[in-house]
Amino acid sequence: MTASTDIPVLPPTRAERRAARKAAKQALKPDQPKSQITAKGVIKLVLAVQLGIALFLMGRDLFAAIPHIAWPSSQPRFDTPIIPGDQTRRYNPGDTPLRPADEGNPARPYRSTGDMPSRISFEIKGETLTLTGQIAEGDADRFAEYLNANPQSITHIRLNSPGGSVRDALTIGRQLREKDYNTLLGAGDICLSACPYILASGAERTIHDDAQVGVHQHYFGTNSALPAFLAVEDIQRGQGQVMAYLDDMGVDPLIMRHALVTPPDEIYVLLPEQLTDYNMATDPSE
């Protein structure tokens, strides 16, 4: 008679227990498709698309800006004499050399725009208030405060400025027109970029033949971080406001055709006869 031997049953291993628990959980879940779109996945996809668009727009704007950074304007320096058909010059509001005064006229008070105040300075002599220097943001408020604090009898506003903030220039211009002041440029004075909008506000506008008036494209304070289509919209809106302003002041808005084709690092200097044709000069002076 053969004796039977019991075979001991070994306990399950750790791996077997994990597999059993996983199988039990799967058995409790309803059948689901292998591919499932979740709200979290959709959000991630949208963010990825937006990031891609932003990178594309930034790259395109950077690519467009490279030529201006690597190859600055090849136009002559600003102090090179202007002749008909050759009126575009390099321009930097903080460092533009000024040409000597014409023979028989007084010397220019500044050799470069870099010598001028970094924001408008005010000086009253007789009935003339002279505004000198760059037009900084906030200068329109400073100008209004200055007028209120100096109630002297003023009839003329003389300008000598390389330009600056367009919005401040337009606001200052509105203030001058309300008071019916006249504007003028004397021999050797410059009025560039945003400055001509203040010049345009004069009830009468006198421009000496040895003065220089120049126009170009403006930024209008555009935020470079904006998507391209919003930046363009902001620029177009600003151009529309400027053209309406010039029309209100009695200046032919066609003067803007020279500005629109002249990049910000260049300036188009208007000839005396052009200033008269566009009615920027109502009383040209020699």
Side-chain angles (χ1 to χ4, degrees):
M1 185 172 180
T2 304
S4 62
T5 305
D6 294 333
I7 300 175
V9 178
L10 297 177
T13 63
R14 184 178 298 176
E16 290 172 337
R17 290 197 298 270
R18 284 200 300 266
R21 286 195 298 268
K22 184 175 180 180
K25 290 180 180 179
Q26 287 295 112
L28 294 175
K29 292 182 178 180
D31 292 338
Q32 296 178 346
K34 292 183 179 179
S35 176
Q36 183 180 23
I37 299 176
T38 64
K40 187 175 181 180
V42 171
I43 293 174
K44 287 183 177 180
L45 178 62
V46 171
L47 290 176
V49 171
Q50 290 180 335
L51 179 60
I53 293 173
L55 291 174
F56 170 75
L57 293 174
M58 291 175 63
R60 186 180 64 178
D61 291 345
L62 178 61
F63 183 78
I66 287 175
H68 295 284
I69 298 173
W71 301 283
S73 171
S74 60
Q75 296 292 343
R77 285 169 31 128
F78 187 78
D79 54 358
T80 304
I82 299 293
I83 59 175
D86 180 23
Q87 299 163 238
T88 304
R89 296 291 179 264
R90 294 202 303 268
Y91 168 79
N92 179 344
D95 185 22
T96 292
L98 304 179
R99 65 173 175 78
D102 291 342
E103 184 177 355
N105 290 318
R108 291 179 181 267
Y110 301 98
R111 293 184 177 180
S112 167
T113 56
D115 300 331
M116 293 181 165
S118 58
R119 64 188 315 162
I120 289 179
S121 66
F122 313 113
E123 182 183 10
I124 296 178
K125 287 186 177 180
E127 294 184 342
T128 300
L129 169 59
T130 300
L131 307 185
T132 304
Q134 296 187 42
I135 307 166
E137 291 187 8
D139 274 353
D141 293 334
R142 291 180 57 240
F143 180 66
E145 292 172 0
Y146 183 86
L147 288 180
N148 291 333
N150 295 272
Q152 294 99 318
S153 176
I154 299 172
T155 60
H156 288 79
I157 304 294
R158 181 173 178 175
L159 301 166
N160 195 13
S161 170
S165 168
V166 175
R167 289 188 172 88
D168 282 83
L170 296 177
T171 302
I172 291 173
R174 296 285 187 190
Q175 295 169 359
L176 297 183
R177 179 54 65 93
E178 287 179 3
K179 296 182 179 295
D180 204 34
Y181 290 148
N182 300 316
T183 53
L184 68 89
L185 296 180
D189 293 338
I190 61 169
C191 189
L192 311 176
S193 185
C195 176
Y197 305 136
I198 301 179
L199 175 64
S201 69
E204 297 292 335
R205 301 176 287 274
T206 304
I207 304 174
H208 196 282
D209 278 351
D210 190 39
Q212 291 174 285
V213 179
V215 296
H216 67 170
Q217 298 169 0
H218 297 299
Y219 288 115
F220 295 97
T222 300
N223 185 348
S224 59
L226 287 174
F229 72 94
L230 292 179
V232 170
E233 180 182 351
D234 187 51
I235 292 171
Q236 290 179 335
R237 183 184 300 110
Q239 295 288 5
Q241 292 171 352
V242 166
M243 295 180 74
Y245 169 88
L246 292 173
D247 188 53
D248 290 344
M249 299 299 160
V251 176
D252 189 345
L254 277 177
I255 197 173
M256 290 298 295
R257 67 177 180 170
H258 304 292
L260 294 174
V261 297
T262 306
D265 61 345
E266 298 176 358
I267 201 84
Y268 180 89
V269 182
L270 294 152
L271 300 171
E273 53 267 32
Q274 290 177 306
L275 294 169
T276 301
D277 291 342
Y278 292 123
N279 206 37
M280 178 65 82
T282 59
D283 183 20
S285 171
E286 299 179 359

